[in-house]
Amino acid sequence: MDYLRDKSFTVRIAIRLLDGDELIVWNVEHTEVTVAGRALNVRLVGDDIVIDAFIAPFGSVETNFMLVAYGQLWVTNGPEEGVRYESFMKSLPVESGERVIFFPLGVAVDSETNIFTIELEIQLLPHSNEVRK
Amino acid sequence: MIWMCPDDATLSAHYDEELDAATTASVSAHVAGCDRCQGVVSSFALLSGSLQVPSLPVGRSSVIESKRHVAARAILLGPTTSWGRSLSVPLPIAAAAAAIILIFAGLLLNIGRRSTTSARVDSGGSVLDSIVQYLDARTPASPVVFNLPESATFRVVSEPVFVRAAEYRQEGE
């Protein structure tokens, strides 16, 4: 399947938690391989949150392509507040090797409320280049 | 004299004067004294009158008459079986129908041949099999799961943000 290998992406994901001062308090990195049109499923599970995100590139690995991030999230802040459910879908045209940042909960700007920001930094590279290294 | 009513076919033949002399006399005597048979003969007369064609060319009157007779018999005697009835189709229509049938037959043969060919190509390709296996192995149903730190609090503070890292960090500076 040489033709498929030439159409595949190496996806590098760095998942970080930022505090109110935008300092990184937690970080994990992961690398995955996918092909254009096929989504990578990343699930973040916490005590009171579940984020089920899909990241999919569309287009050619050799030129600009469209990166789509979509999914669902569930957040609960105690039994009295119930569960909040949201769905999302965002897209961005990117170049091969360009880094993009995805904030599934938005960006917390109030540093006094001790709320963490979840950040996903995503980079897509041609898989054929990664194999040759 | 006939005591029982003759059937309608006999009455029709009697009306058309097709019976022999003795039978004619017997039927006539019966009709004269039978209301039912008089009604049947009257209906023959009415039908005959409605089928009359005035000023016929010479030689056609006998043909028209025989056709009227056949029509009258068919109406009064009811439907007959169509077994053995021949159907005449004009030659141009028959030729057109035959051509259409041949064209459709040819198309069906070609379609069958093409589908056989394509099936042969699909079944011979192991490339597709390996691709299907690859897709099954890479199903998105198996997520990569990350457990977030315990006791960390999260809120949905705004719409999700999707931005180029260079633009985001440049704005932050």
Side-chain angles (χ1 to χ4, degrees), chain A residues 15-19 21-27 119, chain B residues 169:
Chain A
I15 303 169
R16 306 184 185 106
L17 291 190
L18 309 177
D19 63 10
D21 297 320
E22 295 192 354
L23 295 177
I24 299 174
V25 297
W26 185 80
N27 180 59
E119 172 187 290
Chain B
R169 291 189 177 123

Side-chain angles (χ1 to χ4, degrees), chain B residues 2 10 24 27 30 33 41 44 54 60 74-75 89-90 94 112 114 121 126 154 160-161 165:
Chain B
I2 302 175
T10 303
T24 300
V27 173
H30 173 84
V41 172
F44 289 150
R60 288 182 61 85
I75 290 168
V89 178
R114 197 178 305 125
V121 170
S126 60
F154 301 98
V161 176

Side-chain angles (χ1 to χ4, degrees), chain A residues 66-81:
Chain A
M66 185 67 71
L67 190 60
V68 179
Y70 64 94
Q72 307 159 294
L73 63 91
W74 294 261
V75 181
T76 179
N77 298 117
E80 63 278 0
E81 293 193 29

Side-chain angles (χ1 to χ4, degrees), chain B residues 6-94:
Chain B
D7 58 37
D8 290 348
T10 303
L11 289 172
S12 172
H14 168 72
Y15 176 81
D16 291 329
E17 299 175 355
E18 293 175 352
L19 301 177
D20 57 77
T23 310
T24 300
S26 299
V27 173
S28 298
H30 173 84
V31 170
C34 176
D35 292 340
R36 183 250 168 204
C37 292
Q38 284 177 12
V40 173
V41 172
S42 299
S43 67
F44 289 150
L46 267 170
L47 184 63
S48 179
S50 65
L51 292 176
Q52 281 241 326
V53 179
S55 63
L56 288 172
V58 174
R60 288 182 61 85
S61 60
S62 61
V63 174
I64 297 296
E65 197 61 37
S66 67
K67 287 189 176 179
R68 192 191 319 157
H69 172 73
V70 169
R73 275 194 169 173
I75 290 168
L76 290 173
L77 300 181
T80 58
T81 60
S82 59
W83 299 117
R85 182 180 295 171
S86 63
L87 181 67
S88 63
V89 178
L91 186 59
I93 295 175

